Each structure stands twice: as structure tokens, then as C-alpha cells.
Amino acid sequence: MARIIAERLVTSLFVIFGSTILVFTILYVLPGDPVDSIIDPSVATPEMVENLRKELGIDQPYHVRLIHYFSDLFRGDFGQSLVNSTPVLPQIIEQFPKTLALTIVSSCISIIVGITLGVLSAVHRNKTIDVLARMIGLFGISMPTFWTGILLILIFSVALGWLPSLGSDGWQTLILPSFTLGIIGAGFIIRMVRNSMLEVISENFITTLRAKGLTERAIMYRHALKNALIPALTMMGMMIGDMLAGTVIIETVFSRQGIGRLIADAIMASDLPVVQGVIFFTAILYILINLIVDLSYSAIDPRVRRSILHD
């Protein structure tokens, strides 16, 4: 087991290393000069621009800047913002709890709604609850995130006045953005759990359990559901990572603070150190989440546990 964990950790390090190089390269070749966002081009002289580029180190060639960037990362230095000259890492740490709260609540909504409706849809196939669950799933999958967020704002904030639509102060401001993200993830989980449950229900061991006299409730929720959740678990892990990325749109639509809003503002200001820092931080979280999901297979599927012990 320890060897499997070590191998996956090594693989994760290579993924982080490769994704960091890829992001650095993309930002390097993008058009535009970060200096233009710091000083007004209409009043800047060539000498001022050149001195500032040297001060920021962006006048150096690609390989030199990449080496310096990695050496700083190994020391825990994510660089400094080009706009306000403050360290990037403290900005990320300050904004991350707001994004974490949004991601956790959204994930809980997705998992609870998705699993519940997916199981009910499979158990009561072709009945009213099945049709309703599939409609909710189709809505979650099909609707763009920003459109769903604006629709919820119009209904629950503008028309009904029940919930605040903007800001990140208080738990009330968390409801609409969390539900916006959650319903999208729930749509994918509903379809995955429903299909998995229908496949498991048709297996021979379900027929055997019925022959032994087990109740239908025990068969569905104690045996079939446990096996049906195995393929859905991968989607849940990926979904949590996708929600971290989806916060860029959600936090912009709802004017919330967080790392999604932080990177959106940094992109608009061409603040490359902040963009690189947030992407690197998010990549680490995404990989750690998927690593935990991979290892959790052994707790759900005995076959995986036996194969790991055999290895």
C-alpha cells in the first residue's frame, strides 16, 4: 500500500511540474507587456519602461525566467504582484477560505442531490420521479454556469428579494452561488449514478440476493448502491476540481471574493505572477483531491483492496 501511495505521489509531482511549465510557457508567449498595466504608456519614456522591465526581471530570456521561477517556488516564494507589489502567496491564502467554503457547500449539494435523485431514478425507472430526476440532470448539464447564476439572481434576489445576490459576507451570500455550482455537478452525478445503478441491478448477484429473501430496500441501498458508487466516485473527485475552476465565473457573477475573482482580476490587469501563483496553487489542490479519490477506492471496492495488498 505504501508503495502504491509513493508511486502516485511521484506521478503527481511530474504532473505538477509539467503543468507549471505549460502555464509559464503560455503566459510567456501571450501578447502584451505587463509594464503597460503598471505605468501609463502615454507618459512612459523608453528608459522608464526598460528600467522597470529590468527591475521586474521580465527582460530576461525564457529559460532564465523559468529557472528563476522554479527556484523561487522551491523556496515557497510565488513572486510579487506587478500591480500592488505585494507577495502573491499571502493574497492566495487570504482569499482561499472563501473559495473553499463555496467549493465545499457546492460539492455537498451536488453529491447529496445527485446521489439521491440518481438512486431514486434507477429504483423507480420510467416513473414520475425518474422523469423529474432526468429533467433536473439535463438542466444541470446543459445550462451555462453564468446563465444559471443570473437566472437565480433574477428570481430569488430581484423578483422575490429572499437572498442577497452580491458580496461574500455572511452565510446568506453563499446560498445562490453554491446552488449554481451544485446543480451543475448534480446533473452529471444523477446520470452517472442512475446508469451505474441500472447496470448493477441487472447483475446476477442481485438475483441471488433476491432469491435469499432480502428485502428490496436492503438490496438496493446496502448492496447495489455501494457497487454503483464506485464509477461515480471518480466523477465526484473530478467534479470538485472542476468546481475550483468554476469559481472564476461564479465569483465574478456574484461579486464574491476568492481565488477565482483574484485570478480574473489578475488576468485583466496582466498581473502574471498572480495568475501563475493561483494556477500552481489550484493544480496542487486538484491533484491532491484526485489522489485521495484514487486511494479511497480501496475503502469502497474490496477487489481494489485485494489487488493493492497483492501488489
Side-chain angles (χ1 to χ4, degrees):
M1 184 66 175
R3 183 175 63 84
I4 300 296
I5 296 176
E7 289 177 354
R8 293 182 180 177
L9 283 175
V10 171
T11 303
S12 300
L13 290 176
F14 276 109
V15 173
I16 293 174
F17 181 78
S19 61
T20 303
I21 294 178
L22 178 61
V23 170
F24 185 90
T25 304
I26 292 174
L27 295 178
Y28 179 83
V29 300
L30 284 178
D33 194 340
V35 173
D36 294 338
S37 63
I38 302 176
I39 56 177
D40 189 353
S42 62
V43 299
T45 63
E47 292 78 12
M48 292 173 57
V49 173
E50 186 63 26
N51 291 334
L52 184 56
R53 288 178 60 85
K54 290 181 179 179
E55 181 181 346
L56 298 175
I58 58 178
D59 63 324
Q60 298 174 339
Y62 168 81
H63 66 280
V64 175
R65 291 175 58 182
L66 182 62
I67 293 174
H68 288 168
Y69 182 67
F70 271 107
S71 64
D72 290 339
L73 285 180
F74 288 139
R75 297 195 304 268
D77 182 6
F78 282 37
Q80 288 189 337
S81 170
L82 300 180
V83 176
N84 51 33
S85 300
T86 57
V88 173
L89 186 57
Q91 294 184 57
I92 297 175
I93 295 175
E94 179 184 0
Q95 299 297 332
F96 179 64
K98 300 179 180 66
T99 299
L100 180 62
L102 175 60
T103 304
I104 290 176
V105 177
S106 302
S107 300
C108 290
I109 292 174
S110 295
I111 293 172
I112 293 173
V113 174
I115 293 179
T116 302
L117 292 182
V119 172
L120 292 175
S121 179
V123 174
H124 304 283
R125 186 178 183 183
N126 296 328
K127 295 183 180 179
T128 303
I129 186 63
D130 181 26
V131 176
L132 180 61
R134 283 188 289 174
M135 289 178 60
I136 295 174
L138 181 62
F139 176 85
I141 294 173
S142 304
M143 296 299 104
T145 306
F146 71 91
W147 187 90
T148 304
I150 294 174
L151 179 63
L152 293 180
I153 290 174
L154 291 174
I155 295 175
F156 293 100
S157 294
V158 177
L160 300 177
W162 289 354
L163 296 168
S165 61
L166 304 176
S168 53
D169 297 326
W171 63 269
Q172 295 94 340
T173 62
L174 194 60
I175 297 176
L176 289 183
S178 297
F179 192 81
T180 302
L181 269 180
I183 195 63
I184 295 173
F188 289 97
I189 295 178
I190 289 171
R191 299 187 66 177
M192 175 64 76
V193 172
R194 181 182 185 275
N195 294 335
S196 299
M197 280 288 292
L198 291 177
E199 291 180 5
V200 172
I201 291 173
S202 63
E203 295 288 339
N204 292 331
F205 80 92
I206 297 295
T207 304
T208 303
L209 292 175
R210 290 191 175 115
K212 289 182 177 181
L214 270 71
T215 64
E216 196 68 17
R217 178 181 295 272
I219 292 173
M220 292 299 168
Y221 297 102
R222 188 183 304 171
H223 300 280
L225 178 58
K226 185 176 181 179
N227 287 273
L229 286 180
I230 295 172
L233 186 63
T234 302
M235 174 172 288
M236 293 177 192
M238 296 177 62
M239 178 197 67
I240 295 174
D242 291 340
M243 284 184 176
L244 285 172
T247 56
V248 176
I249 298 176
I250 292 298
E251 290 175 354
T252 301
V253 171
F254 290 92
S255 295
R256 288 183 55 84
Q257 297 297 314
I259 60 174
R261 181 70 178 274
L262 179 64
I263 192 174
D265 292 342
I267 291 173
M268 295 299 294
S270 299
D271 197 347
L272 300 187
V274 176
V275 176
Q276 292 171 341
V278 173
I279 293 177
F280 179 73
F281 184 81
T282 307
I284 293 176
L285 290 177
Y286 189 91
I287 291 171
L288 286 177
I289 290 170
N290 283 275
L291 178 62
I292 293 173
V293 170
D294 288 341
L295 296 178
S296 65
Y297 283 152
S298 60
I300 296 179
D301 193 349
R303 295 169 297 180
V304 176
R305 184 163 56 248
R306 285 194 297 268
S307 65
I308 291 177
L309 292 175
H310 178 74
D311 292 339

